[in-house]
Every structure is written in C-alpha cells, then in structure tokens.
Amino acid sequence: LVYDDIEVEKRRIEEFFNTIPNNIIQPATKFPDTHWEAIEAIILLGKDMLSLINSNPVLAYIIINANKINPSIRLLNDAEVLKKMILTKQKRVLDRCGFPETNQMVKIFSKIDPKFIRVNELICLRNLLMINAELKERILNILSYAITINRNLLRLVIYNSPLLQLISNNIVYELATSESFIEHLIKIKQLYLNSKRWQLTAPKVMTLSSINKTFENQLLAVEKKRQKENSFPQPPLEDNFYITAICQESDLIFWSKRQGNCIRSYTSSIKSRQKYFYKVIFEKEEATLELILGKRQIRKGNLLGISNTGVSLALNQMVDQWVMECKMKKKKVAVTKLSD
C-alpha cells in the first residue's frame, strides 16, 4: 500500500511539472538545488528574471536564494523594486545580500557557471570579503582577472584563502587549471600548516614544479628545529587553518602566558601522551583546546578562551566539526591499512 501511495505521488508530481511551460522549466534546471525557488522567481518576475538567468545566472541564483544568504531580507516580496534593480542596478541586489556593491562584483559572478556554486559557498565568500580589506582586495583581484572561474578556483579562494599568501596570482591560475590540483593543494596547505606549527617563515611557491623541492626543504628545517627544541610527541589530530598543535615546551609556555591559563603545568602529561593542547584562533577569537588521549580514543577536553572564559558558539561548533572530521579520517586510514 505504501509503495502504491509513493507511485501515485510520483505521477502527481510529473503531471504538475507537465503543466509548467518549457521556457520556465529549462532555465530552472540550471539551479539543481533550488528548482522550486527558481520556478517561483521566474513566475513572479517574468522575462526580467529569464533575461538575468541567461546573462548572469549566478546573480539570478543569489536573488532566488536571497533570504537564505541574508535572512533579514526577503527580496522577492518587493517584485517591482527588484525588477528595476535587475534592469538598471544589479549591484544593489548584491548590496542587499552583503556583497560589495560594485560593477566589478557583478562581472565576477557572470564568470561563474551556476553548477559550481551553492548557497553556503556564497555565504562563505561574502564573509571572507568582510574579514579584512587586504584579503578582500586580493580575492577580488584574483577573481576579476580570471578568464573563467572554475570549481578549483572557487575551492581555493573560498575554502583555502590563507594559502593565497604563499602563491602569486599567476600560480593561482596555473593551479586552478592543473590536472594535479588536489595533490598540489595538499602540499601547499602542508607548507602553510608546518610554518604555523613550527613558527617558521612560510615559503613562497614560485612554480608548481618546485613544490616538492620546497616541501622537502621545509621538512629539513622542521627536523632541525625538532631536534634543537624540547619537542612533544606527534600531535594526535592534524592541524587546520584555525587550530594549531602546540609541539614545543617553549610554545606551550608562551601560549599559557598569553591566554592566562595553567597549561604550562601539563608538560609531563603531554610527554606521557595523556593530554595534548592546541591553539585556536577563529575570527579574531582566541582559545585553548585540550584533547584527552586514551588507549583507544581521543576525546575533547576543555575549550576555553582567555583567562579560562567561555568561547562563542561558532568557535565551539568549528572545533567539534574538526574533531569529528579528523576522527573519521583516522578511521578510514585504519580500515585501509587493515584491508591492505
């Protein structure tokens, strides 16, 4: 009976779609995650929305998802005002969603294929452009001078923006079109994270072909510092852009004083692999993370800000996500080793 109900519902949906004109259905299919919203916007705004979908589909996508990008507004409630914006002041649409109100931004979005973009990525991009003026100008410069903006370039700019300080614009474009994009990205990310963890000057990547040699040289510098300093055992979980393992006693003392906490008294617990501590810097907020190490599991201990104060919900969620992803990654590695 349940199966029959599902089949009936499927037929009803198909019959409903058959009543929608083809000139509405086809443009809506450009946005695989917002079909219904796209159909609603096309019906509401008519030929003006259809024209925008053809000329700048990502800007159209922003309009369709405006209330998700900026929940404080509902652009589609004011159809006549929006129609005028589409025709004469498209940059005003961007401003109402929190993006720079510039023709430059309109042109940037016109270079992106809508199949490469999602609402959460647009929100991440918007937030990046609000962090600081220097990063904003670098990102806008990269995107403005790109001939096309492909998936790799978006991934680099949106999710790996700290790496931009290691590479020139020419290397950015070369990397985005490389068949070995993932391999190169992993190496450049490791160069950056090693520099943070061991307090080394981050090396500049001059060419993609030089990445391996640059990485080897950095590992030699890390090993020299490891032998010279009073280093702790290998960190249990890998760093990310916001969370950095404290690998040396001198760094533990420095961070303990900076944060006004007592983690410098846990040196013996770290060396005996009972605990490990990480520096957390996220959106100008600083904190200290404690990991408690058992024989078979790693669990999150205290996560506290300066002078052992509480941390924001955003920082706490970011750390929880990182712990979960690292644990899943370790499990996959373990399963792979067993299968081998």
Side-chain angles (χ1 to χ4, degrees):
L1 181 62
V2 174
Y3 175 80
D4 290 340
D5 289 344
I6 292 172
E7 288 301 307
V8 168
E9 187 61 28
K10 281 183 179 179
R11 284 198 296 273
R12 284 177 179 170
I13 291 172
E14 287 176 5
E15 288 170 3
F16 172 74
F17 267 96
N18 288 335
T19 66
I20 301 174
N22 197 47
N23 68 324
I24 294 178
I25 289 291
Q26 280 193 338
T29 58
K30 288 189 176 186
F31 313 113
D33 63 335
T34 51
H35 280 162
W36 291 108
E37 293 90 342
I39 290 170
E40 179 186 10
I42 293 168
I43 292 171
L44 183 65
L45 300 171
K47 61 181 178 57
D48 296 324
M49 176 56 79
L50 288 172
S51 176
L52 186 61
I53 289 173
N54 288 327
S55 63
N56 195 332
V58 173
L59 184 57
Y61 182 87
I62 289 172
I63 291 171
I64 292 165
N65 293 282
N67 63 320
K68 297 176 187 175
I69 297 169
N70 184 355
S72 67
I73 62 170
R74 283 193 170 274
L75 287 178
L76 296 184
N77 286 350
D78 198 350
E80 289 307 314
V81 171
L82 187 55
K83 282 182 181 180
K84 290 178 182 177
M85 285 185 184
I86 290 173
L87 293 173
T88 61
K89 297 180 180 179
Q90 294 180 359
K91 59 186 181 181
R92 283 286 296 131
V93 175
L94 297 179
D95 177 56
R96 292 177 72 173
C97 290
F99 291 99
E101 185 187 352
T102 62
N103 290 326
Q104 178 190 32
M105 203 73 226
V106 174
K107 289 178 182 177
I108 285 171
F109 283 130
S110 71
K111 299 180 184 182
I112 306 174
D113 189 314
K115 70 172 177 281
F116 293 143
I117 204 77
R118 294 292 180 270
V119 170
N120 64 315
E121 293 179 337
L122 286 168
I123 293 172
C124 287
L125 178 59
R126 180 197 62 194
N127 294 345
L128 270 177
L129 297 176
M130 295 170 66
I131 289 175
N132 65 62
E134 188 177 345
L135 179 61
K136 172 184 173 180
E137 288 308 310
R138 181 75 196 282
I139 290 174
L140 292 179
N141 184 270
I142 288 169
L143 297 179
S144 292
Y145 286 97
I147 298 172
T148 58
I149 301 174
N150 64 12
R151 182 67 186 149
N152 289 344
L153 184 53
L154 287 173
R155 187 184 302 178
L156 178 59
V157 167
I158 294 174
Y159 298 117
N160 297 278
S161 60
L163 303 185
L164 297 177
Q165 61 188 271
L166 274 65
I167 51 182
S168 67
N169 285 13
N170 287 339
I171 301 297
V172 167
Y173 303 137
E174 187 181 351
L175 178 61
T177 56
S178 171
E179 293 181 359
S180 303
F181 172 78
I182 296 297
E183 293 87 337
H184 290 322
L185 185 66
I186 290 171
K187 281 283 175 68
I188 296 171
K189 186 174 182 178
Q190 199 58 55
L191 285 169
Y192 174 86
L193 295 177
N194 282 344
S195 299
K196 276 186 66 183
R197 177 185 286 183
W198 294 98
Q199 298 177 31
L200 299 168
T201 302
K204 297 290 184 181
V205 176
M206 306 309 293
T207 63
L208 291 186
S209 60
S210 69
I211 290 177
N212 288 337
K213 185 63 177 176
T214 305
F215 187 65
E216 289 171 9
N217 290 339
Q218 188 191 61
L219 290 182
L220 290 173
V222 166
E223 189 55 33
K224 283 182 181 178
K225 191 155 190 178
R226 191 196 301 273
Q227 291 175 5
K228 183 179 178 181
E229 301 282 346
N230 191 2
S231 299
F232 295 140
Q234 185 72 14
L237 300 180
E238 294 180 2
D239 301 348
N240 71 7
F241 291 130
Y242 313 108
I243 304 171
T244 305
I246 300 175
C247 296
Q248 301 156 272
E249 190 168 353
S250 58
D251 197 19
L252 184 76
I253 294 169
F254 165 79
W255 191 253
S256 177
K257 290 179 179 178
R258 174 166 168 159
Q259 294 294 292
N261 61 35
C262 63
I263 63 170
R264 58 186 177 277
S265 65
Y266 287 98
T267 300
S268 59
S269 297
I270 298 170
K271 290 184 175 180
S272 61
R273 299 196 66 80
Q274 297 174 45
K275 294 179 182 288
Y276 220 99
F277 292 94
Y278 289 75
K279 296 182 282 188
V280 183
I281 303 175
F282 181 67
E283 295 181 352
K284 298 182 180 181
E285 181 180 6
E286 294 186 359
T288 303
L289 168 66
E290 173 194 38
L291 292 184
I292 300 171
L293 313 182
K295 289 184 178 179
R296 295 187 178 181
Q297 67 172 349
I298 301 164
R299 62 187 176 87
K300 178 185 169 189
N302 290 318
L303 174 61
L304 297 169
I306 295 173
S307 300
N308 293 324
T309 55
V311 300
S312 67
L313 177 62
L315 186 144
N316 191 56
Q317 288 177 337
M318 183 276 293
V319 170
D320 285 344
Q321 180 71 19
W322 169 76
V323 171
M324 182 181 69
E325 289 175 355
C326 285
K327 285 183 176 182
M328 288 176 62
K329 192 173 180 180
K330 287 174 79 74
K331 282 182 182 178
K332 285 181 181 178
V333 170
V335 169
T336 303
K337 287 182 178 178
L338 284 172
S339 63
D340 291 344

